[in-house]
Amino acid sequence: MKKEHLILLEDHIKSAKEGKQKSFNYLLHTFWNDVYNFQLKRTQNEYEAEDITIQSFSRAFDKIDTFKEELNFKTWLIQISKNIHIDLLRKKNASIQSKTTTRVDDSVYRIIDDNPTPEDKLITEQNLAQLLLYIKQLKPNYQQVINLRYFQELSYKEIAEHLDEPINNVKVKLLRARKLLSEIITSTKSKSTKK
């Protein structure tokens, strides 16, 4: 990694520790492919790899305070991801059908998302019919969180209860869904201007 990238990364890690949404977005977008591709090699399953990646970022953002600057952030994320995968394999092997509950403490609610992001702005500017066509291009789990958040206007807590998932997973899914949706909108617009 180039020196300026390292400095930028360090700044974003520091800001994420202070709960800045923009930095969570940066970290997610910067390292998503690394974690996802790592899991895809391990699981050989796109859906499973994506699910573990969401859980990895959820756990990393929840425990960002414990990250030590002298470590490599990507390596730290991959290790979290590896541990989650191992836990899932153990659960599968043990054939435990009972749902595990994770203790929710105040730190889970730290990823605040009040300010509209550039992705939000792009999404809200779309004609509704056109927007629905864009949303249909997303994977079903992303379509679902977008629908619950923007059309049913549920809070993160309500979405988490509806999906029976930890609140941080919901936040990471929404971050990812918005990013993918804005990429679809942008690429479609650039194709139509070239015609």
Side-chain angles (χ1 to χ4, degrees):
M1 226 182 210
K2 289 184 182 156
K3 192 173 180 184
E4 57 267 20
H5 289 298
L6 280 174
I7 292 167
L8 184 64
L9 176 61
E10 285 169 13
D11 289 345
H12 278 294
I13 291 168
K14 207 174 286 176
S15 296
K17 286 183 175 187
E18 294 163 8
K20 299 271 189 327
Q21 183 62 38
K22 195 174 164 189
S23 293
F24 286 118
N25 287 354
Y26 175 85
L27 295 172
L28 181 77
H29 302 330
T30 304
F31 295 104
W32 176 272
N33 288 342
D34 295 317
V35 179
Y36 175 75
N37 291 330
F38 172 78
Q39 281 303 334
L40 193 56
K41 277 187 194 134
R42 285 174 74 101
T43 62
Q44 303 288 303
N45 178 314
E46 281 183 29
Y47 179 79
E48 215 175 317
E50 197 163 278
D51 196 47
I52 294 169
T53 304
I54 288 167
Q55 289 182 51
S56 303
F57 279 97
S58 172
R59 191 171 297 176
F61 291 165
D62 190 27
K63 306 216 175 294
I64 193 100
D65 285 343
T66 67
F67 176 74
K68 292 179 176 56
E69 279 71 20
E70 64 270 13
L71 298 174
N72 178 310
F73 192 77
K74 179 177 151 185
T75 309
W76 184 68
L77 268 175
I78 296 286
Q79 188 58 53
I80 289 172
S81 176
K82 201 185 286 184
N83 292 344
I84 288 171
H85 185 228
I86 290 166
D87 287 348
L88 290 173
L89 287 176
R90 279 193 193 125
K91 282 177 193 160
K92 268 186 198 168
N93 293 341
S95 302
I96 299 170
Q97 296 304 312
S98 65
K99 258 189 133 351
T100 56
T101 56
T102 49
R103 193 174 67 79
V104 177
D105 57 28
D106 293 341
S107 62
V108 168
Y109 297 97
R110 273 210 310 266
I111 303 178
I112 298 161
D113 192 59
D114 290 337
N115 301 327
T117 63
E119 287 97 354
D120 283 328
K121 194 171 181 307
L122 195 59
I123 292 165
T124 55
E125 285 171 354
Q126 301 311 304
N127 159 316
L128 184 61
Q130 187 61 57
L131 182 60
L132 292 171
L133 289 175
Y134 293 141
I135 291 169
K136 281 194 180 346
Q137 293 177 51
L138 294 171
K139 288 185 179 173
N141 59 330
Y142 293 137
Q143 287 182 32
Q144 188 179 30
V145 289
I146 291 276
N147 175 28
L148 293 170
R149 181 70 172 162
Y150 293 102
F151 295 98
Q152 296 183 35
E153 297 183 346
L154 298 184
S155 68
Y156 289 129
K157 192 170 185 287
E158 290 166 332
I159 297 170
E161 285 165 6
H162 181 82
L163 299 176
D164 196 19
E165 282 189 37
I167 198 164
N168 257 13
N169 282 17
V170 168
K171 290 176 181 180
V172 171
K173 259 188 201 169
L174 266 165
L175 283 176
R176 185 73 186 147
R178 283 199 307 250
K179 167 89 169 142
L180 293 170
L181 191 55
S182 76
E183 284 171 3
I184 290 167
I185 294 167
T186 308
S187 79
T188 307
K189 281 187 168 181
S190 72
K191 281 178 195 164
S192 66
T193 54
K194 283 177 186 170
K195 285 180 184 174

